[in-house]
Amino acid sequence: MRFVKLMKQLWQDDCGAIITAEYMMLGTVLTLGTVQGLATLRDSTNQDLQDMATSAREARQYYSPQLPKNVQAQTAVNQSAPSSVSGARCVGGVCP
C-alpha cells in the first residue's frame, strides 16, 4: 500500500519537469544555431579560397613598363672596370 501511494505521488509530481523541458529546448536551439553558423563559416571560407585561387591563376606573371615615345633609356658605362667583368651577372638590374 505504501509503495502504491509512493508511485502515485511520483507519477503526479511534475516539479522540475518544466525546467528540464526549457533546458532541452535551449540546448536544441543552440545546437541548431551552432551547426548552421559553422556551415555558413565553411561556405564563406571555401568561397574566399576559391576567389584567391582564381585571382592567382589569372594574375599577370610579367610586367614591362611602357616608356614614353620621346624618351630613350641611357646606360652608364664603367670605364675603370676590367674587361673580364663582361661575363659577370647582373645584380639588382645593374649590369657591369
Side-chain angles (χ1 to χ4, degrees), residues 35-48:
V35 168
Q36 183 62 36
L38 289 174
T40 303
L41 179 66
R42 177 202 62 205
D43 293 340
S44 65
T45 302
N46 192 16
Q47 184 63 41
D48 286 343

Side-chain angles (χ1 to χ4, degrees), residues 4 19 23 41 51 55-56 62 64 87:
V4 174
I19 294 175
Y23 284 145
L41 179 66
D51 291 345
S55 65
Y62 61 90
S64 61

Side-chain angles (χ1 to χ4, degrees), residues 5-93:
K5 184 177 179 182
L6 179 63
M7 291 307 287
K8 282 183 181 179
Q9 185 180 8
L10 287 175
W11 184 260
Q12 294 173 352
D13 185 20
D14 60 357
C15 291
I18 294 174
I19 294 175
T20 303
E22 289 172 353
Y23 284 145
M24 287 178 57
M25 185 68 97
L26 181 64
T28 303
V29 169
L30 287 176
T31 301
L32 292 175
T34 302
V35 168
Q36 183 62 36
L38 289 174
T40 303
L41 179 66
R42 177 202 62 205
D43 293 340
S44 65
T45 302
N46 192 16
Q47 184 63 41
D48 286 343
L49 290 175
Q50 285 177 353
D51 291 345
M52 190 171 67
T54 301
S55 65
R57 184 177 52 233
E58 294 176 0
R60 292 176 59 186
Q61 298 297 319
Y62 61 90
Y63 175 75
S64 61
Q66 298 295 325
L67 295 175
K69 293 182 180 181
N70 297 335
V71 176
Q72 294 178 355
Q74 297 180 358
T75 58
V77 178
N78 188 357
Q79 298 294 333
S80 64
S83 61
S84 63
V85 180
S86 63
R89 299 174 67 191
C90 297
V91 178

